Amino acid sequence: MFRLAGLSRRSYDICLSMNILRTVTSKQEVSPELRKLTSQCGDSGDGSSRVSYSKDELRQRLTPLEYHCTQEKGTERAFSGKFACFEEEGVFKCIVCGNPIFSSDAKYNSQSGWPSFTDVIDKDRVILKDDTSHGLQRIEVKCSSCRSHLGHLFDDGPKPTTLRYCINSASLQFKKETTV
């Protein structure tokens, strides 16, 4: 079959895989639970508590990968981020503005290759927006303070929340928690 199409076996397998992936993901819809959560999170619409930085300042302060992930809605390669297998106790903050977003108590190993969390510290810390880029239907997670892209939210996480905040390590900084 693949010879008829003028493709090598490997190219044919890749095309077939991509077509299957496109078929599966194109029919994927955002669940009603995620829709409801989207309306409950962060953005009051009035710009309150909003922090802004110039692109030049961010390019100087952030690494190219941090800038790409947070300002251009990019993503790091799976399993390449410093927090993918990170297990220290503390708080994960937005790399751009320092807004505390996730607690290590909510972090778990989803085996996705990116840091995953079951919940945010407070719903007002993030903004959830529809994202239909790359032919997929997802929910984008943004910092409510500076509007930087953090990652995406899925409803395939563990109970009780069933949420998986799939976040780029490059979008986060970590503050170790010390207990006395």
Side-chain angles (χ1 to χ4, degrees):
M1 172 68 93
F2 56 90
R3 293 284 180 219
L4 293 175
L7 301 172
S8 70
R9 176 67 190 201
R10 180 162 169 68
S11 295
Y12 176 79
D13 288 344
I14 290 170
C15 289
L16 182 61
S17 297
M18 290 178 73
N19 284 335
I20 291 170
L21 180 62
R22 179 170 287 132
T23 301
V24 170
T25 57
S26 67
K27 294 178 182 176
Q28 177 185 4
E29 293 185 20
V30 174
S31 71
E33 292 81 15
L34 288 184
R35 277 279 159 244
K36 183 177 178 185
L37 188 60
T38 300
S39 68
Q40 295 172 349
C41 287
D43 193 11
S44 61
D46 63 3
S48 61
S49 301
R50 183 138 188 224
V51 179
S52 64
Y53 303 94
S54 72
K55 289 189 182 291
D56 288 338
E57 179 185 354
L58 290 176
R59 279 198 172 96
Q60 289 176 359
R61 191 161 53 92
L62 302 174
T63 68
L65 181 60
E66 291 168 348
Y67 185 87
H68 176 65
C69 288
T70 61
Q71 305 306 302
E72 300 171 333
K73 299 183 182 184
T75 191
E76 63 203 6
R77 286 187 338 270
F79 301 101
S80 69
K82 61 186 170 191
F83 298 128
C85 298
F86 190 80
E87 295 185 7
E88 290 189 36
E89 291 186 18
V91 175
F92 293 88
K93 300 179 176 189
C94 173
I95 190 79
V96 173
C97 70
N99 181 17
I101 299 176
F102 301 102
S103 166
S104 59
D105 293 338
K107 189 174 185 303
Y108 74 102
N109 184 358
S110 67
Q111 300 180 346
S112 66
W114 289 275
S116 296
F117 303 86
T118 57
D119 212 350
V120 290
I121 290 174
D122 186 290
K123 303 267 185 267
D124 289 337
R125 306 288 173 111
V126 295
I127 297 169
L128 303 177
K129 296 282 187 190
D130 286 335
D131 177 2
T132 57
S133 62
H134 309 293
L136 302 173
Q137 194 167 20
R138 304 177 289 180
I139 302 290
E140 177 188 12
V141 181
K142 298 172 80 171
C143 173
S144 64
S145 182
C146 67
R147 306 306 196 259
S148 292
H149 174 79
L150 301 173
H152 291 91
L153 175 62
F154 302 95
D155 62 357
D156 59 1
K159 292 181 180 182
T161 67
T162 69
L163 300 176
R164 176 171 55 100
Y165 287 85
C166 187
I167 307 298
N168 289 299
S169 288
S171 298
L172 301 173
Q173 59 182 306
F174 180 76
K175 172 85 167 135
K176 189 172 184 156
E177 222 174 56
T178 54
T179 54
V180 181

